[in-house]
Amino acid sequence: LALSAAPEFYRSNDFGMQLEPLPKWRRDESTWVLEVATKANSEVRRLLQDGKEVRRWEITRGADGHREERELESGTIVARRVYSPGGDLLEEDQYVKGSLSQKSLYTYASSRLSRVRVLAADGALVYIRDQALPAMERKSVTVGRPEPRRTTAG
């Protein structure tokens, strides 16, 4: 992905979290540095350990608001994720040595995760996990006069 904006640098950790902005001249002071370069509908996040790239996330946003994220380690894809416009994870592909090994599909009901379907690389169903949604409980609330406020003199 070709990016035009100057990258920003952040102190990070081995998970690639964006912890604290770093001026470019201070990036050698931290073992873990996250470099973020953005363009109109794309972003590249590079996790550097002692100045060497160990992980990269390539993020693109579609016109419909969906976001796709490709995660690479040492230049090889390890995961691909698709998110809804609201930020819900819809699909996650996991790769081993650059080849698809597993696909997870996520379904939501009332803004809560309701089902996860996991498929093998060949599309065969591995398992389905239905998430138990809590039943809506009706509670009666008694509304009355508030307790008198007590103050202490001091």
Side-chain angles (χ1 to χ4, degrees), residues 10-20 22 30-35 45-50 52 54-55 57:
Y10 299 89
R11 188 175 61 79
S12 190
N13 56 20
D14 59 335
F15 294 112
M17 295 174 69
Q18 190 172 309
L19 300 176
E20 167 188 17
L22 281 177
S30 182
T31 300
W32 297 98
V33 173
L34 184 65
E35 177 186 289
R45 295 172 159 263
R46 294 181 38 201
L47 180 61
L48 309 172
Q49 180 181 18
D50 296 321
K52 292 181 136 183
V54 293
R55 191 174 302 154
W57 295 268

Side-chain angles (χ1 to χ4, degrees), residues 91-103:
E91 182 179 322
E92 181 175 33
D93 301 338
Q94 296 175 356
Y95 296 81
V96 174
K97 296 181 182 174
S99 295
L100 180 66
S101 65
Q102 182 173 288
K103 178 184 291 280

Side-chain angles (χ1 to χ4, degrees), residues 89-90 105-109 112-117 131:
L89 179 61
L90 300 175
L105 303 169
Y106 299 87
T107 305
Y108 298 83
R112 299 187 75 171
L113 181 62
S114 61
R115 173 176 278 188
V116 179
R117 290 182 348 151
Q131 306 292 90

Side-chain angles (χ1 to χ4, degrees), residues 57-62 64-71 79-93 104 106 108:
W57 295 268
E58 297 175 349
I59 302 162
T60 55
R61 288 171 180 74
D64 62 358
H66 282 78
R67 185 180 81 189
E68 180 178 326
E69 174 185 293
R70 291 172 25 100
E71 181 178 345
R80 177 185 157 274
R81 298 174 191 92
V82 177
Y83 296 88
S84 72
D88 293 325
L89 179 61
L90 300 175
E91 182 179 322
E92 181 175 33
D93 301 338
S104 299
Y106 299 87
Y108 298 83

